[in-house]
Amino acid sequence: MEERERRVGELLEAYGLLVAAAELGAQRARKASDPVLRARWLAIAGARAEQRDRLLARLSALGIARPVVPPPAPEAQREIARLLRADLATSHALAARCRRVGRWLQATGDAETGALLERIANESLAHAAELARSLAYHYVREARSAAQ
């Protein structure tokens, strides 16, 4: 019983991270004035929402009640580079957690959930790469603006 509770707790933590990441990305996209950054944030927020829904479906299949996760509070306006770095860190944290929990679940006999988490980890690393490109794009734009 203790093992199941630990599994459920780990899955619910991953779900909560996905809920927060999807909502914060959507908030940032709505506030972004640059169309390229807005599009990238929207794409990543949409992908994270899809990941959240896939994990929720898996939780339901495992008989785990739908968790109630309050959405994050609206953020104060901050500099774009700081927001991109925060999202980059979130993507790496999601990837690490999902990979760790996924491998643990595969080793303990839940191959389907483990594979789902491994897929989410890989997608989160792709998001991190996209966010790194966005951050570089932002720095280039700032450098060009400063040079003029």
Side-chain angles (χ1 to χ4, degrees):
M1 191 62 166
E2 199 172 295
E3 179 78 14
R4 176 168 166 67
E5 288 177 21
R6 183 171 171 220
R7 285 181 183 179
V8 169
E10 292 283 356
L11 290 172
L12 292 177
E13 283 184 40
Y15 178 78
L17 285 172
L18 286 169
V19 167
E23 182 59 34
L24 286 174
Q27 284 180 23
R28 292 171 181 168
R30 286 189 293 270
K31 293 179 183 178
S33 59
D34 182 272
V36 172
L37 291 177
R38 182 182 313 119
R40 287 181 177 164
W41 260 322
L42 278 174
I44 292 171
R48 286 179 175 161
E50 182 183 316
Q51 291 170 337
R52 175 200 64 211
D53 294 344
R54 284 186 294 178
L55 186 53
L56 182 60
R58 185 65 192 146
L59 290 171
S60 295
L62 293 172
I64 300 169
R66 181 185 182 113
V68 176
V69 180
E75 288 187 308
Q77 190 67 7
R78 297 191 314 194
E79 80 174 279
I80 301 275
R82 181 183 241 174
L83 295 173
L84 286 167
R85 287 191 304 269
D87 274 353
L88 183 60
T90 297
S91 289
H92 283 293
L94 272 167
R97 174 175 290 280
C98 288
R99 180 150 290 138
R100 179 184 59 78
V101 174
R103 288 180 179 167
W104 172 62
L105 289 174
Q106 286 178 336
T108 58
D110 189 354
E112 190 173 346
T113 306
L116 172 64
L117 290 173
E118 188 71 29
R119 198 166 43 251
I120 290 172
N122 291 334
E123 292 168 359
S124 292
L125 289 176
H127 297 158
E130 188 62 33
L131 288 162
R133 281 191 289 279
S134 296
L135 187 58
Y137 168 79
H138 175 71
Y139 285 144
V140 167
R141 285 194 61 200
E142 281 188 342
R144 284 184 183 156
S145 295
Q148 291 177 354

